[in-house]
Amino acid sequence: MSHSSFRRDWITKPIFQMAQHALPGLSETEREAIEAGDVWWDAELFTGNPDWNKLLAFAPARLSAQEQQFLSGPVEELCRMLDDWKINWQWHDLPPEVWDFLKIRKFFAMIIPQAYGGLGFSAYAHSEVIRKLSSRSICAACTAMVPNSLGPGELLLQFGTKPQQDYWLPRLARGEEIPCFGLTSPEAGSDAASMLDSGVVCRGTFDGRDVLGIRLNWHKRYITLGPIATVQGLAFKLHDPDHLIGDRDDIGITLALVPTHLPGISIGRRHLPAMHVFQNGPNWGHDVFIPVDHVIGGVDQVGKGWKMLMSALAAGRGISLPSLSAAGAAYTAHVTGAYARIREQFHVPISQFEAIKERLGRMAATAYLLDAARRMTCAALDAGHHPAVVTAIMKAQATERMRVSVDDAMDVHGGKAIIEGPLNYLGSLYRGVPIGITVEGANIVTRALIQFGQGAIRCHPYLLKEMMALEDADQTRGLDAFDRAFWAHVGHSIVNALRAWGRAWTGGLFAPAAQAGAATPFYRQLSRHAAAFALAVDLALLTLGGALKRKEMVSARFSDILSELYLSSAALKRWNDEGRQNDDFPLLEWCMEASFATIATRFDEIIANFPSRPVAWLLRLLIQPLGPRRRGPSDQVTARCAEIITNPCPARDRLTVDLYHPRETENENGLALVERAFAMTVAVQPIRDRMRTARVRDTAQALKQRTITAAEAASLKAAADAVAAAIAVDDFAPEELTSRGAANKGDVSSQATSQATRQLTSEQLPSGPVPPQSYPAPAAPAAAAE
Ligand SMILES: Cc1cc2nc3c(=O)[nH]c(=O)nc-3n(C[C@H](O)[C@H](O)[C@H](O)COP(=O)(O)OP(=O)(O)OC[C@H]3O[C@@H](n4cnc5c(N)ncnc54)[C@H](O)[C@@H]3O)c2cc1C
């Protein structure tokens, strides 16, 4: 008997049998979620020994000339057309010319290949468009976002049959069809797979023909673009009681394209999500009949809806909301830095108060970090990866951190940001934050179940192999596979334990690092933490097994550590990719120190709450013998970060590159007023310094004493006027507030529907491929609002 056979039969086999009983199997939806997408840098972090050179060698995301032109052309033009105040509070919709512009310039077709008449943009270009739009109008950004993320376009591209692609994609690209995607229903939110919406396979009449089809009944809610959609991607559970398409009664979650004009559909009513007016609403279907070839991917794809959804989400989750969040963080840092510089209290700019600097510093560093992570993730997507765990991290972390930045911005602005009106440039974003937190997987569940729960299975070098082996119907083959994976796992754990212990006890001084100048020590610390993470993961899996899934507080802390490792890697990569800018170093340092402090705290919390105390003590001894010793960024670093956004400088500009900047002429724009006041305040600073040195506060006296010239006095006056305009807030006549609601009440939905679904004239429509005759053409979309 060979050594390996002895090991397999006498040592591995009992473990194999025990594990088969102890570990709960994966549910079908869990398995499909785990099989969707792939792994990337997340898997490297799970090894405990990430290869930094691999990260730095990864090509950064780049825009093509055409993409760059789109940003400086149509996107800039669109931003100028938008007036967020009027959109939200007066029109309750985008104006008709904006809807037309979105369609004609193909904002709804960024992901559709050029062969179908779309723009065929990279993930990075798509992200840049959403980012820039988000800095101008959340409503416009959400409207442009939806057709380019999870929905008919994406699903057709990945899973559609050729006739479906040939029919729908050119129509979507030309803006003739407005898509939405209906997954959520009243009873099924986070647990979307528990939906009651159903379809029954049957025969019926469609377009005068007797066809095999599906009779649908549903109630969906919260559906973005739903009220004006001409086609809804619908998720439902398919049943086949008469076995017309197979031998199963219950086929499972299925996705179909449902033209919204069909009889039995009620659509058009609107929700008001946090007083944001992008089109969003409920819809219902009662005995709606569709031919079976409306199933996305055709009859072969029935029952595979969950897998399709997870696969589409694996990429999309990393683009839309992270782009909006990165824009939100950069925009708020930029404007709050300027505002803090022009707003004076106690005779000094509030930017000089330490407690304000604390917030400004955090905002500046968050802006740097989120954009670093957004760019790195887009680069991975453009390289062909679909890293589901990374994109879940991005979605949850970006939206959470944007929330902190927006709260900071609100607090620094005080009443100025609270009073609504055309001059308020923060209220809209503030109200929008919970939307980002909730959609595409609410953050609490994403953090507790997905990031680490799925990450541990997919990214761990051996765990998935072991689980697959345990579930193998062929016991001998399963045992062989388990034997190989299990012992490799044991070796990996031992090496990691030694690695983690060595790096912890030497403070990470000798841990591997890329040669990255001043940033090199950060790599060493991350290497130290990655080893500790890998060891802690193995001990948690060993002692908790399947129960880890229910220990959400423990799992969420592991998620935080994994997220910190990912985001910090991105910050390091950005600093390197941008040529190691010295001026940006405080931002990098802030991000890294904050990350190390969070990681140390989470490890401490995991150890304190670990159910098995002996294992907790072992973990403490190996990875954190002296407890959590990182305290976060120093006050000095925080102050330097704050200075970056309160002074005009290249580092400040780098944070907002390619965001929308209002033009000086846009007097009505509150942001433009702050920008102007900021520039003028900075320009007169030397004059004010001279007056301070001469101990004169009053301009007239300074003139009299010849401390300043008449021209300088005029500049001071102009700057003071600009500041007065910038700090102003809106007020309304009482009748304006009481009458506006009543005046608009009757026409909100009719106005919205007529503007958005207005058919473009043939001259307005760009040319594109002609749809084939074979696919059933829907009737005129006149009943969308009925
Ligand atoms: C503005 C807006 C636009 C939307 N657009 C669309 C759309 O176009 N199409 C579509 O299909 N849907 C859409 N949605 C729905 C969105 O995806 C859901 O709101 C989301 O999935 C959460 O569902 P829920 O709101 O019912 O919250 P619930 O599922 O009721 O969750 C409530 C809370 O419980 C937490 N939670 C749930 N389960 C767990 C768990 N196991 N462990 C820990 N915490 C848990 C959640 O994180 C959340 O914090 C939209 C929603 C909004 C608000």
Side-chain angles (χ1 to χ4, degrees):
M1 190 184 288
S2 72
H3 173 72
S4 68
S5 291
F6 175 82
R7 183 183 82 182
R8 188 193 62 192
D9 296 337
W10 292 96
I11 306 176
T12 313
K13 196 171 179 182
I15 299 171
F16 179 70
Q17 287 165 341
M18 206 171 64
Q20 274 182 321
H21 292 294
L23 284 182
L26 287 173
S27 71
E28 198 57 24
T29 49
E30 281 174 325
R31 180 188 298 278
E32 287 177 344
I34 281 166
E35 284 168 3
D38 60 10
V39 295
W40 182 59
W41 184 246
D42 44 344
E44 195 71 27
L45 294 171
F46 264 89
T47 63
N49 203 25
D51 180 349
W52 299 113
N53 292 325
K54 211 194 253 182
L55 179 82
L56 296 187
F58 196 79
R62 296 248 183 272
L63 295 176
S64 69
Q66 187 212 354
E67 292 167 339
Q68 189 67 60
Q69 272 164 15
F70 190 78
L71 272 165
S72 51
V75 184
E76 179 74 20
E77 201 178 333
L78 175 61
C79 286
R80 285 189 205 146
M81 293 165 76
L82 298 167
D83 183 330
D84 219 30
W85 167 254
K86 288 186 178 145
I87 290 168
N88 277 320
W89 299 96
Q90 291 181 5
W91 303 328
H92 306 297
D93 191 12
L94 296 170
E97 62 276 13
V98 169
W99 277 108
D100 288 351
F101 193 85
L102 284 165
K103 292 174 189 175
I104 294 165
R105 294 311 191 116
K106 304 189 178 181
F107 279 83
F108 296 153
M110 286 189 274
I111 58 167
I112 296 179
Q114 292 181 358
Y116 291 104
L119 293 172
F121 276 178
S122 61
Y124 184 50
H126 172 188
S127 162
E128 284 284 312
V129 173
I130 298 299
R131 178 171 164 266
K132 185 161 178 168
L133 275 181
S134 303
S135 63
R136 182 63 166 155
S137 161
I138 298 288
C139 176
C142 290
T143 303
M145 209 181 261
V146 167
N148 291 292
S149 49
L150 179 65
E154 169 87 34
L155 292 164
L156 281 166
L157 281 168
Q158 280 199 41
F159 306 103
T161 61
K162 182 83 174 58
Q164 287 174 339
Q165 291 177 340
D166 289 346
Y167 178 78
W168 287 106
L169 292 176
R171 295 174 70 83
L172 289 167
R174 290 196 296 268
E176 287 169 38
E177 303 281 355
I178 300 286
C180 71
F181 189 74
L183 172 66
T184 306
S185 45
E187 67 288 341
S190 302
D191 183 13
S194 67
M195 71 186 79
L196 302 179
D197 310 303
S198 68
V200 175
V201 184
C202 59
R203 295 206 73 85
T205 307
F206 193 83
D207 273 351
R209 291 175 295 133
D210 176 63
V211 291
L212 184 64
I214 301 171
R215 195 162 302 284
L216 295 162
N217 283 281
W218 76 82
H219 174 187
K220 299 293 185 187
R221 67 175 182 181
Y222 306 155
I223 308 307
T224 305
L225 294 191
I228 52 133
T230 59
V231 56
Q232 171 161 251
L234 187 77
F236 56 92
K237 284 190 177 152
L238 185 63
H239 308 280
D240 184 16
D242 299 328
H243 294 186
L244 296 175
I245 57 172
D247 52 10
R248 285 180 297 160
D249 281 8
D250 297 322
I251 295 179
I253 295 174
T254 300
L255 310 183
L257 292 178
V258 183
T260 57
H261 67 276
L262 294 180
I265 299 181
S266 304
I267 199 164
R269 291 188 65 77
R270 292 179 61 180
H271 298 306
L272 269 180
M275 281 309 287
H276 274 283
V277 297
F278 58 87
Q279 295 284 334
N280 182 283
N283 63 71
W284 298 262
H286 180 65
D287 283 344
V288 177
F289 183 76
I290 54 167
V292 80
D293 66 2
H294 279 43
V295 169
I296 298 176
V299 77
D300 291 347
Q301 295 294 327
V302 293
K304 297 188 183 155
W306 192 253
K307 193 170 181 173
M308 290 155 77
L309 284 175
M310 291 301 109
S311 176
L313 212 52
R317 200 155 29 193
I319 302 176
S320 305
L321 293 167
S323 307
L324 184 148
S325 307
Y331 169 87
T332 49
H334 182 81
V335 67
T336 310
Y339 184 80
R341 177 76 188 261
I342 63 165
R343 174 66 174 165
E344 294 192 2
Q345 289 294 285
F346 306 99
H347 306 298
V348 286
I350 60 170
S351 59
Q352 290 187 15
F353 297 124
E354 284 216 346
I356 294 282
K357 284 186 188 179
E358 190 177 19
R359 305 297 192 95
L360 295 175
R362 176 161 66 185
M363 293 174 74
T366 303
Y368 185 83
L369 182 74
L370 286 192
D371 215 49
R374 176 189 70 93
R375 293 183 204 179
M376 183 165 104
T377 307
C378 286
L381 294 171
D382 283 335
H385 294 284
H386 286 77
V389 172
V390 161
T391 54
I393 289 174
M394 282 303 295
K395 187 268 154 180
Q397 287 288 330
T399 50
E400 289 294 342
R401 287 170 196 245
M402 168 177 67
R403 164 150 66 187
V404 177
S405 282
V406 175
D407 281 351
D408 282 344
M410 294 293 291
D411 294 351
V412 170
H413 277 77
K416 163 76 182 162
I418 292 167
I419 303 304
E420 281 293 357
L423 291 173
N424 186 327
Y425 43 80
L426 283 175
S428 173
L429 186 58
Y430 180 70
R431 281 179 284 105
V433 164
I435 301 176
I437 302 268
T438 300
V439 299
E440 291 191 1
N443 282 2
I444 297 180
V445 72
T446 304
R447 174 174 176 252
L449 286 184
I450 299 174
Q451 294 171 358
F452 179 69
Q454 284 184 18
I457 298 175
R458 318 181 52 125
C459 305
H460 191 284
Y462 303 105
L463 186 61
L464 188 57
K465 289 182 192 147
E466 288 163 336
M467 291 174 78
M468 291 300 163
L470 288 170
E471 293 195 1
D472 197 327
D474 181 335
Q475 288 285 301
T476 316
R477 190 176 58 196
L479 178 60
D480 277 342
F482 186 80
D483 182 63
R484 282 191 299 275
F486 178 76
W487 291 105
H489 190 164
V490 170
H492 163 82
S493 299
I494 292 170
V495 170
N496 254 329
L498 293 171
R499 201 183 265 149
W501 170 67
R503 291 179 189 175
W505 282 61
T506 55
L509 273 181
F510 308 105
Q515 286 315 312
T520 305
F522 299 142
Y523 287 87
R524 294 199 197 289
Q525 286 307 312
L526 276 194
S527 290
R528 169 192 171 173
H529 293 312
F533 174 70
L535 172 67
V537 168
D538 272 342
L539 290 178
L541 291 171
L542 184 72
T543 52
L544 289 167
L548 187 53
K549 201 160 70 174
R550 290 185 299 281
K551 301 290 293 172
E552 287 192 350
M553 289 195 240
V554 174
S555 178
R557 292 184 183 110
F558 275 114
S559 292
D560 290 347
I561 298 173
L562 178 62
S563 302
E564 293 294 343
L565 292 172
Y566 182 76
L567 297 176
S568 301
S569 304
L572 287 171
K573 180 160 170 58
R574 174 175 179 171
W575 195 67
N576 208 62
D577 289 348
E578 287 187 332
R580 303 182 186 175
Q581 300 287 337
N582 269 339
D583 295 350
D584 292 353
F585 194 75
L587 300 171
L588 178 68
E589 190 172 356
W590 197 102
C591 296
M592 302 309 295
E593 290 300 340
S595 188
F596 298 150
T598 305
I599 292 174
T601 308
R602 293 293 176 271
F603 273 134
D604 187 48
E605 291 166 356
I606 289 172
I607 293 168
N609 293 285
F610 213 76
S612 163
R613 296 318 299 155
V615 174
W617 298 327
L618 177 68
L619 202 53
R620 169 77 72 207
L621 181 78
L622 289 176
I623 68 170
Q624 221 179 44
L626 303 176
R629 295 180 59 81
R630 304 302 290 228
R631 297 187 184 87
S634 68
D635 293 352
Q636 203 186 8
V637 169
T638 304
R640 283 167 65 202
C641 291
E643 272 157 29
I644 287 175
I645 54 170
T646 47
N647 291 290
C649 60
R652 181 174 189 265
D653 294 343
R654 271 193 290 276
L655 292 179
T656 53
V657 69
D658 284 335
L659 286 189
Y660 179 71
H661 293 280
R663 291 163 307 155
E664 283 254 339
T665 51
E666 289 180 71
N667 273 334
E668 77 287 3
N669 184 296
L671 189 58
L673 293 174
V674 173
E675 295 273 9
R676 184 161 61 211
F678 176 61
M680 292 170 84
T681 302
V682 170
V684 298
Q685 191 63 49
I687 311 173
R688 298 185 72 186
D689 289 345
R690 206 184 319 136
M691 285 170 64
R692 189 164 293 125
T693 312
R695 295 180 186 274
V696 242
R697 197 173 270 167
D698 182 57
T699 314
Q701 197 192 344
L703 254 179
K704 206 165 141 196
Q705 291 181 5
R706 296 180 188 271
T707 310
I708 61 173
T709 65
E712 286 172 334
S715 302
L716 285 173
K717 164 96 174 51
D721 289 348
V723 169
I727 64 168
V729 298
D730 296 284
D731 46 58
F732 302 89
E735 58 276 16
E736 280 185 277
L737 297 183
T738 46
S739 62
R740 177 169 294 129
N744 287 343
K745 201 173 170 190
D747 63 10
V748 168
S749 59
S750 59
Q751 178 195 4
T753 307
S754 63
Q755 288 177 2
T757 57
R758 231 156 45 92
Q759 289 300 293
L760 299 176
T761 62
S762 53
E763 301 86 71
Q764 286 175 303
L765 287 173
S767 57
V770 179
Q773 295 304 310
S774 56
Y775 202 80
E786 286 172 11

